[in-house]
Amino acid sequence: MKRFASVAMAAVLALFLYQSAGAATYINIATGPTGGVWYPIGSAITKVWGDNIKDMQASAQSTGGTRNNIQLLESGDAEVCMADGLFYDAFNGLRSYEGKPQKFLRGIAPMYPEVFHFLAAKGSGIKTLQDLKGKRVAVGAVGGSVSITAAMLLKTVGLDMEKDIKAEYLGHGDQVSAFSDRRIDASFNVSALGTSSVVEAATLNMVELVPLPDDVVAELCKAVPYFSPFTIPSGVYKGLNEAKTFSSPNIIAVHEKLEDDLVYQMVKTLYEHKADLVAVVQRMEEMKADKVNTISIPLHPGAERYYREIGAIK
């Protein structure tokens, strides 16, 4: 009888452990290329969620950027992603997503403006967009949205990305190496102000920051509703002067299939532990609940519940 009781108790314990393990919630966050800021932010978020939401196991995945992230959400390989203004096109089936609206996208939190940096190799003589004709230009990692933005920008001055430049698909860290090895003449870098890849290239005196003309910025902002004029202040990057450019909003998005209560917990926990994110990337200070209306796609019901609860939306 004692032996039977021991076996029965072991079976009950095994069942309890199995059920407990089965209760774990697995969340994968699609971020961006290494060398940018999305990956460290994503890693910080996984720790915040993992430490403070019961039974959650979260991981951060390095990706090509927004376009790749949306694909990962669609395929079920990620539940959460970071996205730049391309999320607006994706949800509404515009431009590169024409006829293919990604209606599963739901916003949960605003982040900060993502700034377009036009960098030229030191001494290259590149002073304008027109000077890029025939040059080797880094246009972001494969799967990202930088190349889409680059194509739109070049088009405003009569250049075709496929025909008029030698496009190199390189992420943040790879761009720095390519400048160092003189494998590229210029790059388009879309990231937070003060991003490490531009800081490194500027500190090593490898690049110059090229400003964009007012009329070009105005034309882009008129064509794309999520673009806004932006000025990179002098001194943000060592030795680089002020430069006019444009920016787009960054958000944290999820798949609509996530449970409302879970998303509510995720959003609430993000704001309660915002200091942990700011400690990793200072720009996350701009993740403010009162900016939720800048998210131009539907909120997930769980996120909406949180923002209504704190009075950020009515």
Side-chain angles (χ1 to χ4, degrees), residues 49 107-108 254-255 258-269 300-304 306:
W49 284 344
I108 66 167
V254 298
H255 198 289
L258 289 188
E259 294 180 1
D260 293 2
D261 287 346
L262 174 62
V263 174
Y264 171 83
Q265 282 186 292
M266 290 160 65
V267 177
K268 187 172 187 289
T269 303
H300 189 285
E304 184 177 344
Y306 172 76

Side-chain angles (χ1 to χ4, degrees), residues 148-183:
I148 298 171
T149 303
M152 288 190 288
L153 177 61
L154 291 170
K155 188 177 179 181
T156 65
V157 295
L159 295 179
D160 184 292
M161 195 174 81
E162 300 299 324
K163 299 176 182 177
D164 293 321
I165 68 168
K166 298 173 183 176
E168 300 285 346
Y169 291 86
L170 302 172
H172 297 283
D174 292 334
Q175 288 186 15
V176 177
S177 300
F179 273 124
S180 179
D181 298 338
R182 300 184 181 279
R183 289 185 283 115

Side-chain angles (χ1 to χ4, degrees), residues 124-138:
S124 65
I126 295 172
K127 304 296 182 185
T128 68
L129 289 166
Q130 289 88 339
D131 293 336
L132 293 176
K133 190 166 185 177
K135 303 295 186 181
R136 301 163 299 173
V137 184

